[in-house]
Amino acid sequence: TNLSRSRLGIYIAPTTLDGRGPVKMIVDTGSAGTFLNWKGVGDMSMDRSHPLVSYNTESIGVMGADNNALALSHRFVVKRRVNFDSSSGNVGMFAAGLD
């Protein structure tokens, strides 16, 4: 996998989601979910009006270790496949129950 490190020392991998991207994503093996900013959504050739991006009808928020809080207004749900190295296509996984 083509990993790099951010200026904060966090591992980052180029990732495709359902064949869209690549987007730079943080590698966090303990995460239950992940978040994209609007640049990441744009890197997947989508925007908030795309049919695969839906508005969250219930309030969802996150707070980072830096005490910055974010409201998560929209979502994109991976339907099929996540690839962590978009250049080779060799490292990936299928979303459970969708094969």
Side-chain angles (χ1 to χ4, degrees):
T1 302
N2 187 13
L3 290 176
S4 62
R5 291 184 83 170
S6 74
R7 61 182 171 81
L8 298 174
I10 300 167
Y11 285 101
I12 298 173
T15 306
T16 58
L17 305 170
D18 287 340
R20 296 180 174 276
V23 294
K24 292 180 181 178
M25 302 208 54
I26 294 172
V27 177
D28 182 353
T29 59
S31 175
T34 192
F35 307 97
L36 292 172
N37 60 17
W38 288 114
K39 181 191 179 317
V41 173
D43 289 346
M44 293 172 40
S45 301
M46 297 188 300
D47 62 20
R48 64 183 73 214
S49 66
H50 193 282
L52 295 175
V53 176
S54 61
Y55 181 76
N56 287 329
T57 56
E58 297 181 23
S59 296
I60 300 174
V62 296
M63 182 173 286
D66 57 1
N67 291 326
N68 283 323
L70 301 172
L72 305 177
S73 61
H74 293 72
R75 71 176 60 218
F76 168 78
V77 178
V78 175
K79 301 286 186 191
R80 185 98 177 130
R81 187 172 180 93
V82 175
N83 271 333
F84 295 110
D85 185 359
S86 61
S87 63
S88 70
N90 292 333
V91 179
M93 68 180 189
F94 285 97
L98 297 175
D99 288 323

